[in-house]
Amino acid sequence: MFISPFNVVLFDLDGTLVDTAPDLGFALNTLLEQEGNKPLDHALIRPVASHGSAGLLKLGFGIEKEDPIYPALQQRFLSVYAENIARESTLFIGMQQVLDGLTANNIRWGVVTNKPSFLTIPLMEALQLTEAAACIVSADTTPHSKPHPAPMLHACELVDAKPIDCIYIGDAERDIQAAHNAHMRSVVALYGYIADSDKPETWQADCMINHPHEILQWI
């Protein structure tokens, strides 16, 4: 057992705790093929996976939220994805050992994600993570989503911890911003969905890691 200054480790979901890109890509490519378009290579989809349906539909169809066809396409995308929520999604390699290590050292862990609850909960249940998580905060749990501090602070309330006692791990700039806004320490998961255009070294995180096993080393 080791002594850590943190009582709670909070994870972003997509691209940090769970590798969901294969199933998000499946949903996008299914939609593309239904519309008579060629599927995209997984390497193109993966860096965009953290940006949800908006980012993926922009990648696949070149449309923004304001486009008249966006709502219908998004609904179809979400429907396909919900039906295949854990088709290939898995914990990142080494993450189960991290979760086991946290539990063994009496450090609680939870999830704060911008994924809506109707997708978050089924995914967590499918991967048998729900009971082990000390809290699960989705995009619609609070009136605001990341980078607003509201979901982060709500997670603190759920686990009865102060922000200073928590650390947040994510793979997007908004994750680090959310941690800063909530006065939590932050870690960038470089193994996640980092695009070539991203510059995580400028996000002012407390640490950057290349593999989940570094989480236990850092805390």
Side-chain angles (χ1 to χ4, degrees):
M1 180 174 290
F2 57 81
I3 299 176
S4 170
F6 305 109
N7 294 326
V8 181
V9 176
L10 298 173
F11 295 92
D12 173 48
L13 185 55
D14 300 75
T16 302
L17 182 65
V18 179
D19 186 2
T20 56
D23 292 333
L24 288 164
F26 175 81
L28 177 62
N29 280 334
T30 297
L31 207 60
L32 285 168
E33 290 178 323
Q34 288 175 353
E35 292 297 309
N37 299 313
K38 293 182 178 180
L40 296 179
D41 187 89
H42 182 67
L44 293 175
I45 296 174
R46 187 174 181 82
V48 186
S50 276
H51 300 288
S53 58
L56 290 166
L57 289 175
K58 181 178 181 180
L59 173 68
F61 294 91
I63 61 173
E64 303 283 351
K65 288 184 177 181
E66 297 75 20
D67 195 291
I69 68 170
Y70 180 87
L73 275 179
Q74 184 194 39
Q75 189 56 48
R76 288 169 57 194
F77 171 84
L78 293 175
S79 178
V80 174
Y81 179 54
E83 292 172 0
N84 296 274
I85 194 73
R87 183 172 173 268
E88 293 185 53
S89 293
T90 61
L91 287 171
F92 278 96
I93 294 174
M95 186 58 75
Q96 186 60 61
Q97 289 76 13
V98 171
L99 299 182
D100 291 343
L102 294 175
T103 300
N105 286 277
N106 297 317
I107 299 174
R108 293 167 295 165
W109 65 269
V111 168
V112 181
T113 176
N114 275 3
K115 205 181 195 76
S117 56
F118 80 93
L119 297 173
T120 300
I121 301 305
L123 176 61
M124 293 286 288
E125 290 178 346
L127 298 179
Q128 299 182 337
L129 297 172
T130 307
E131 292 186 8
C135 66
I136 301 174
V137 179
S138 301
D140 48 352
T141 303
T142 65
H144 304 281
S145 55
K146 299 177 296 183
H148 196 281
M152 314 291 283
L153 297 177
H154 183 64
C156 289
E157 292 175 1
L158 292 175
V159 299
D160 192 24
K162 298 178 181 179
I164 195 172
D165 297 324
C166 302
I167 184 169
Y168 188 66
I169 306 172
D171 68 318
E173 185 174 14
R174 65 177 171 275
D175 296 328
I176 307 307
Q177 291 172 340
H180 289 168
N181 292 337
H183 303 292
M184 291 182 186
R185 301 287 288 275
S186 60
V187 174
V188 178
L190 295 176
Y191 59 83
Y193 308 144
I194 306 290
D196 291 340
S197 58
D198 288 332
K199 297 181 179 179
E201 68 276 6
T202 69
W203 297 350
Q204 299 182 333
D206 293 289
C207 179
M208 296 191 293
I209 58 173
N210 292 295
H211 191 279
H213 68 70
E214 296 177 50
I215 295 171
L216 294 178
Q217 297 173 6
W218 195 78
I219 66 172

